[in-house]
Amino acid sequence: MPKKLTVRKPYDFAQSVKDHGWIELAPVRWLAESERLQWVERVSSGRVVLVEVTSVESDQAVVLTAHTGEAYALTVNEAEEIAGKLRWMLRLDEEFGSFYELAKSDPAFWRAVKGGRGRLLRSPTLFEDAVKTICTTNTTWRQTINMVDRLVARLGEPYAPDPNLHAFPTAEQLAAADLELLRQEVRLGYRSAYVSQLAQEVASGERDLESLKDGTLPRDEVKRELKSIKGVGEYAANTLMMLLGYYGELALDSEMRSFVTKRYFDGRAPSDKEILSIYDRWGEWKYLAYWFDPVS
DNA sequence: GTCCAGGTCGCGC
DNA sequence: GCGCGACATGGA
């Protein structure tokens, strides 16, 4: 039974879903022909579901359909859990009013975002986003895609009607995985130990990542908690802050360094401080200012 | 072979 | 606090 989830305008579903590289990371995928977002989710009941999302023409709502491949329909609780996860993934409840107000002061920037961009895709759990973020460090984007693909294919639960599709592995499943498997088959390199340790901390209850999503902790405490994850440094912590909805800090990496150098320093190598200062006037929205900075 | 990718850790100072 | 080498992997 399709379920309709509303979102404040302006919102461009197809563009927003594709604005972040996360759309390329399993188990999520984008079906271009039908403009559908699709992924396999393991609900807390243990049921493995194929979720599909489209938008209504006006883009004031998205439409969710969950396939079980079984005769038994989803329970009310299962359906609500999936809808809640989707709202989080698409950031349907985030408020971008002051971002758009600020964006209006820059005509080229405003032109780029005014159709309803800014709601960058994220994963249903912060655990999944943390693992994926660790897989972006000190490697190429192509290798990140491959690492996550193998992680999902090897350790995630299959969707029975199409066993080629898998859910993202739970912390428990990842914690139970042999370190040698992470190294030799998933090929996470030295990140294997980081991912394994994080999974064990989360699975044991020693670390509660998901509670950081409720927004009750002060921002610097959220940041400190993220940096206490082994394998998460300044770049990864700020990436995760962005994924949690805090856009005030920039995730400075080789990609950003090269973009800002070309765009603002005419090829002369600026210091990190100079790079970060470029977006100062954007205050709490620096990350999105960088993300949607028009090339010329 | 060397260097580097959307970095981070642990060390010495 | 800052500088520096090590770290798995794969492509140029």
Side-chain angles (χ1 to χ4, degrees):
Chain A
M1 181 78 85
K3 195 178 178 74
K4 207 186 237 188
L5 308 180
T6 59
V7 54
R8 175 174 297 196
K9 298 194 84 159
Y11 178 56
D12 184 334
F13 167 71
Q15 186 65 53
S16 293
V17 159
K18 293 182 285 185
D19 268 333
H20 194 245
W22 254 216
I23 190 64
E24 298 182 62
L25 299 183
V28 162
R29 61 176 179 167
W30 176 251
L31 304 178
E33 328 73 53
S34 52
E35 301 218 302
R36 266 182 304 171
L37 172 69
Q38 185 184 80
W39 88 98
V40 174
E41 180 66 25
R42 182 191 186 278
V43 190
S44 56
S45 65
R47 186 124 75 151
V48 178
V49 174
L50 178 63
V51 187
E52 294 194 311
V53 188
T54 57
S55 71
V56 296
E57 309 130 49
S58 58
D59 267 355
Q60 51 197 351
V62 297
V63 180
L64 179 172
T65 311
H67 306 273
T68 64
E70 298 166 0
Y72 309 101
L74 291 177
T75 66
V76 172
N77 282 345
E78 288 171 332
E80 279 181 2
E81 179 179 339
I82 292 167
K85 283 177 168 172
L86 179 62
R87 291 200 77 83
W88 173 261
M89 291 166 74
L90 301 184
R91 310 186 193 245
L92 299 185
D93 299 311
E94 256 181 55
E95 195 41 71
F96 289 89
S98 71
F99 169 60
Y100 289 135
E101 282 309 310
L102 200 49
K104 284 176 184 166
S105 62
D106 182 331
F109 191 93
W110 177 236
R111 233 176 291 126
V113 304
K114 69 178 179 185
R117 300 167 76 183
R119 298 178 198 270
L120 300 179
L121 184 65
R122 56 188 170 186
S123 303
T125 66
L126 185 58
F127 171 70
E128 181 174 335
D129 272 341
V131 170
K132 287 176 173 175
T133 299
I134 288 173
C135 289
T136 67
T137 59
N138 197 27
T139 189
T140 58
W141 179 241
R142 177 42 58 187
Q143 288 200 77
T144 299
I145 291 173
N146 292 340
M147 284 185 250
V148 175
D149 267 348
R150 291 186 295 260
L151 201 49
V152 169
R154 299 276 184 179
L155 296 169
E157 284 186 44
Y159 172 63
D162 184 354
N164 291 320
L165 302 178
H166 301 254
F168 194 84
T170 63
E172 289 74 15
Q173 291 164 342
L174 247 172
D178 195 339
L179 196 55
E180 281 313 295
L181 184 144
L182 292 182
R183 285 187 173 284
Q184 296 171 15
E185 295 190 50
V186 186
R187 309 195 71 70
L188 296 183
Y190 67 87
R191 299 168 200 79
S192 304
Y194 298 155
V195 167
S196 182
Q197 182 180 337
L198 175 60
Q200 288 174 42
E201 290 169 357
V202 170
S204 70
E206 175 187 342
R207 184 188 290 280
D208 179 7
L209 277 186
E210 304 315 314
S211 69
L212 299 181
K213 295 155 79 179
D214 64 26
T216 55
L217 267 189
R219 161 180 330 207
D220 51 334
E221 284 182 37
V222 175
K223 175 88 175 272
R224 195 177 325 131
E225 173 67 18
L226 293 172
K227 285 194 80 164
S228 74
I229 299 170
K230 187 95 65 101
V232 171
E234 185 67 12
Y235 150 81
N238 284 349
T239 298
L240 288 167
M241 289 294 280
M242 176 282 282
L243 289 167
L244 282 168
Y246 303 98
Y247 304 101
E249 293 177 81
L250 292 157
L252 183 49
D253 55 16
S254 60
E255 188 71 21
M256 181 183 178
R257 187 167 281 113
S258 107
F259 173 81
V260 171
T261 299
K262 270 184 247 168
R263 172 129 166 67
Y264 296 100
F265 293 90
D266 197 28
R268 256 180 318 94
S271 67
D272 287 2
K273 196 178 248 180
E274 289 176 294
I275 293 174
L276 295 174
S277 70
I278 289 293
Y279 299 101
D280 272 352
R281 77 176 190 87
W282 291 84
E284 296 310 303
W285 298 104
K286 290 187 191 72
Y287 196 104
L288 293 181
Y290 158 65
W291 198 260
F292 293 108
D293 197 357
V295 183
S296 62

